[in-house]
Amino acid sequence: QVQLVESRGGLVQPGGSLGLSCAASGIIFSASTMGWYRQTPGNLRELVASINPGGTASYIDSVKGRFTISRDNTNNTVYLQMNSLKPEDTAVYYCFARQRYTYWGRGTQVTVAS
């Protein structure tokens, strides 16, 4: 059974930083594209960042230069380091794993507010 377990998000002040992690099991992690989507009420999920099995990362334009995605194939974990956070980054963040199918974590709330 596939499980993606995200770390707890939280409340961060604008300009602050927060790191998320997602531990995967039940998949061939090293062969999976991993990443993060986010969603706000009334909106579709948007792809924030992804990293392919070779380690190549891609980002939505609005987070380039502020967010960094990385992966640890030894520990089957993907990370999202978020710096210079803005109120518009407030969302539920979902980890995903994609190989033949796409699997999802349960989501974790990130709130950026003073």
Side-chain angles (χ1 to χ4, degrees):
Q1 183 175 356
V2 178
Q3 283 193 312
L4 300 176
V5 180
E6 297 121 336
S7 60
R8 184 175 297 180
L11 173 63
V12 184
Q13 291 190 339
S17 298
L18 184 67
L20 300 177
S21 64
C22 173
S25 60
I27 60 170
I28 304 173
F29 184 87
S30 60
S32 300
T33 292
M34 303 296 298
W36 299 86
Y37 275 73
R38 66 187 180 187
Q39 187 172 26
T40 53
N43 293 304
L44 297 174
R45 290 184 187 183
E46 65 174 359
L47 178 60
V48 177
S50 65
I51 185 166
N52 68 13
T56 300
S58 61
Y59 302 90
I60 191 173
D61 283 348
S62 60
V63 307
K64 286 180 179 177
R66 301 188 297 120
F67 290 13
T68 302
I69 189 170
S70 61
R71 64 189 297 156
D72 180 348
N73 288 344
T74 299
N75 294 307
N76 291 358
T77 302
V78 62
Y79 303 94
L80 185 68
Q81 179 62 38
M82 303 182 290
N83 299 327
S84 303
L85 282 161
K86 304 176 180 180
E88 51 263 43
D89 295 317
T90 296
V92 178
Y93 284 71
Y94 296 90
C95 172
F96 76 90
R98 180 176 300 138
Q99 195 176 357
R100 182 176 181 184
Y101 304 105
T102 300
Y103 301 95
W104 297 94
R106 298 182 67 176
T108 187
Q109 176 70 46
V110 173
T111 302
V112 184
S114 54

